[in-house]
DNA sequence: CTGTTAGCGCTTTCAC
DNA sequence: GTGAAAGCGCTAACAG
């Protein structure tokens, strides 16, 4: 049932009366081996069910053909999509992926980085946990940071700022002028870029939005939706879908409706955005492109940092402000 | 900036004029080394920033301290939660996790299994992709299958059947008697167990539910919700949350309301279940427990297959059937 | 207690 | 074209 010891290159060599070097060459098509012999060797390898020993090869060559992927929290939406894209791209290049989860903890992130390097990964792709800075230069393997354009050493990211601008333009075109911005965590560079993009447009349209900082969670969104004076706003732009959805839930409980009483936008286009009611207007990132570029960078196929465009996805949570909805009615 | 060659056990040995064996012993606290020397060695290792070479150790000991985790589709909800639980448990044991995604494709699943074994994982945890059977005995490393109690070789699973029973009892207690069951894919053992559990209770209450098979997706649920003759049912029990939510969306578009016109239940307790309106009554699995048991099994800490209980989570999508809602009104 | 000696399975000069 | 030999860095026997 279970094999004894898996057969080695030596076994093949002995059975064919050749040297291990020749077998190695034949199997990898590297050094010069006569076609006839090579064929014979490959056949023998086949029948023996030979599988190269990964550890031995790694020890000898110094390459493990393994990359490390470090995410802040694989349980949170969005990160699995990244992981999948990276895994797929890695597999295609014959690389395996060692996964690490920082669980939002900078200390664990540190530990994981060290651990993965110690395990001999050839490269590291890191999505830094909020509020941390990773210096790629300080490691002995290539490291790609996926975060925001503003992050030091960032290699691949979506254009969060432009995404924010798109949201803001959309809202302004609809005629909104009393803006609430759910800005997310103050220490998140991604959130900051999104918010700055929004504010840039709002301000240049003569609007001074109200900013509220909080965690990027459903719960935080609910708290804000429950406590804020909604009459003061015609629209709310959130830096995260989760925040927007939490907000929507709370606001609905208070008897307000979206988008009639207040328009709402999110950011990320999670699966959730499509199933809440009303479906959420939000911004979609091209995670696949970001993932592939990060991987290409660490494998040396690409050599520059890149920022990828985002798309505004307009759904039913945004509409023109209704003239008679709230206290002030300067709209229209 | 970047290191030259990382320092080896030999370097420490030379600098201290001892043998590599002694250094190895001291560093791992294994063989007998005088406390004083051990201390000195550890200090030197520290200042040199010594990190053991993983490949060399793996080659020598035949253990990589790495396990492989193979999931059907990491992009789908639920699997990330598993992955996180397993990663956490693995880390705690000093194991790293190599992740593989079958992308729902049996051929890729096969490939991944082989690949991971070739890469020298010490064990494999596999959540089989729908419609496939994995024979743990046929591999050279310990393998834990996470699927359903009915799966050959299953090592850890939730009690899907009992979960199905809980849903059915809940619906019957509320007074429902015209049942629609969204049964999910016919070739899924998990779905089958859930549905069988439901039917068991329904039938013994004298009710013959209507079964509809489909993919386990939101879209499939929507299609069913759009096409079925809803007047014939007082309640709908879905084998997956995604199915239930898709169904809810379609049904709402047709002007029916949940739970007034029809009660609805899901299965899995995805994050979604809490944010749809109305929040979904569903069944929650203890993924953490399942994950830990699977890992314990492959590490030899546990030696038997185990099935874990599930919880019915009652929310607002289920209620007593209203007497005047549909065509027939035998309820109450 | 500590050192010597063998390799683990593979790749890589370097001879032949 | 092919083979011999030398390790990669580590650990496990076995001596001393």
């Amino acid at each position: 049932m279970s094999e004894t010891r898996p057969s080695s290159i030596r076994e093949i060599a002995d059975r064919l009366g050749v040297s291990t070097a020749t077998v190695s060459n034949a199997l990898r098509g590297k050094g010069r081996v006569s076609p006839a012999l090579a064929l014979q060797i490959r056949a023998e390898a086949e029948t023996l069910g030979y599988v190269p020993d990964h550890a031995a090869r790694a020890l000898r060559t110094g390459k493990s053909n393994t990359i490390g992927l470090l995410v802040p929290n694989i349980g949170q939406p969005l990160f699995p999509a990244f992981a999948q894209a990276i895994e797929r791209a890695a597999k295609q290049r014959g690389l395996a992926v060692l996964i690490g989860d920082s669980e939002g903890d900078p200390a664990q992130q540190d530990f994981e980085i060290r651990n993965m390097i110690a395990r001999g990964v050839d490269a590291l792709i890191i999505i830094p946990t909020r509020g941390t800075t990773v210096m790629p230069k300080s490691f002995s393997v290539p490291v790609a940071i996926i975060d925001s354009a503003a992050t030091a050493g960032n290699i691949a990211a979506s254009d969060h700022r432009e995404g924010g601008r798109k949201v803001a333009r959309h809202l302004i075109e609809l005629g909104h002028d009393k803006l609430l911005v759910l800005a997310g965590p103050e220490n998140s560079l991604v959130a900051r870029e999104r918010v700055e993009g929004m504010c840039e447009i709002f301000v240049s349209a003569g609007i001074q939005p109200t900013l509220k900082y909080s965690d990027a969670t459903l719960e935080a969104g609910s708290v804000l939706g429950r406590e804020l004076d909604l009459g003061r706003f015609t629209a709310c732009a959130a830096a995260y879908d989760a925040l927007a959805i939490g907000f929507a839930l709370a606001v609905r409980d208070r008897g307000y409706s979206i988008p009639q009483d207040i328009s709402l936008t999110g950011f990320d286009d999670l699966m959730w955005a499509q199933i809440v009611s009303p479906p959420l207007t939000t911004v979609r990132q091209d995670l696949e492109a970001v993932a592939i570029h990060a991987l290409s960078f660490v494998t040396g196929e690409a050599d520059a940092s890149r920022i990828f465009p985002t798309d505004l996805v307009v759904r039913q949570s945004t509409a023109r402000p209704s003239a008679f909805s709230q206290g002030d009615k300067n709209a229209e």
Side-chain angles (χ1 to χ4, degrees), chain A:
Chain A
M1 194 126 288
S2 58
E3 313 292 309
T4 49
R5 182 179 305 257
S7 48
S8 69
I9 217 178
R10 153 119 277 131
E11 188 175 345
I12 301 178
D14 287 353
R15 290 167 84 110
L16 262 44
V18 299
S19 83
T20 61
T22 304
V23 174
S24 175
N25 285 337
L27 257 22
R28 296 173 309 137
K30 297 293 270 189
R32 298 132 315 199
V33 182
S34 73
L37 219 199
L39 216 63
Q40 212 181 132
I41 289 174
R42 271 194 280 273
E44 190 65 25
E46 180 72 22
T47 67
L48 249 40
Y50 168 75
V51 177
D53 182 300
H54 184 255
R57 180 176 288 177
L59 175 59
R60 181 62 235 242
T61 62
K63 311 215 93 328
S64 63
N65 289 316
T66 302
I67 66 160
L69 171 63
L70 196 47
V71 297
N73 189 328
I74 188 76
Q76 247 159 54
L78 214 57
F79 297 122
F82 259 122
Q84 185 167 50
I86 287 176
E87 208 264 341
R88 185 180 303 147
K91 189 185 305 181
Q92 211 171 292
R93 291 163 171 77
L95 267 23
V97 178
L98 220 44
I99 191 138
D101 190 333
S102 318
E103 308 203 19
D105 176 1
Q108 272 201 60
Q109 176 172 289
D110 255 45
F111 169 84
E112 289 278 7
I113 293 175
R114 258 179 249 297
N115 189 240
M116 288 193 165
I117 292 181
R119 277 173 176 277
V121 295
D122 294 336
L124 223 34
I125 296 180
I126 303 176
I127 307 180
T129 216
R130 214 120 52 207
T132 63
T133 301
V134 179
M135 289 301 301
K137 297 260 181 78
S138 57
F139 302 108
S140 50
V141 300
V143 174
I145 308 288
I146 301 181
D147 194 23
S148 82
T151 305
N154 181 77
I155 292 306
S158 292
D159 195 339
H160 299 286
R161 182 179 302 270
E162 180 60 21
R165 290 196 197 104
K166 285 179 177 171
V167 164
R169 284 191 205 106
H170 170 64
L171 257 13
I172 284 180
E173 279 166 16
L174 287 173
H176 291 279
D177 56 356
K178 308 251 179 297
L179 268 298
L180 169 63
V181 174
L182 306 187
E186 287 205 68
N187 66 350
S188 160
L189 292 171
V190 166
R192 177 182 308 182
E193 293 228 312
R194 292 174 177 185
V195 171
E196 285 179 359
M198 294 174 190
C199 290
E200 200 178 288
I201 302 295
F202 289 143
V203 167
S204 75
I207 298 166
Q208 194 58 49
T210 301
L211 266 58
K212 291 291 172 188
Y213 294 94
S214 72
D215 275 353
T217 60
L218 199 77
E219 291 70 30
S222 287
V223 169
L224 290 166
R226 211 175 301 129
E227 298 179 345
L228 263 29
D229 175 9
L230 267 24
R232 296 173 45 214
F233 308 106
T234 63
C236 169
Y240 294 92
D241 280 354
L243 221 38
I245 293 169
F247 183 82
L249 262 29
V251 156
R252 178 196 302 151
D253 283 349
R254 291 172 65 181
Y256 287 81
S257 44
I258 296 171
Q260 290 79 10
D261 296 323
I262 186 168
S263 281
L264 177 66
T265 65
F267 219 117
D268 280 343
D269 196 27
L270 303 185
M271 182 60 103
W272 306 356
Q274 305 175 41
I275 67 177
V276 286
S277 72
L280 192 65
T281 293
T282 186
V283 176
R284 180 189 301 144
Q285 309 183 44
D286 189 348
L287 299 183
E288 182 99 12
V290 171
I292 290 177
H293 179 67
L295 187 64
S296 301
F297 179 83
V298 294
T299 57
E301 299 161 54
D303 61 350
S305 164
R306 276 186 65 185
I307 302 299
F308 295 85
T310 56
D311 282 326
L312 180 71
V313 182
V314 179
R315 296 207 180 88
Q316 285 86 63
S317 70
T318 46
R320 309 187 69 80
S322 46
F324 313 105
S325 58
Q326 311 302 339
D328 318 53
K329 47 185 174 229
N330 324 21
E332 306 273 347

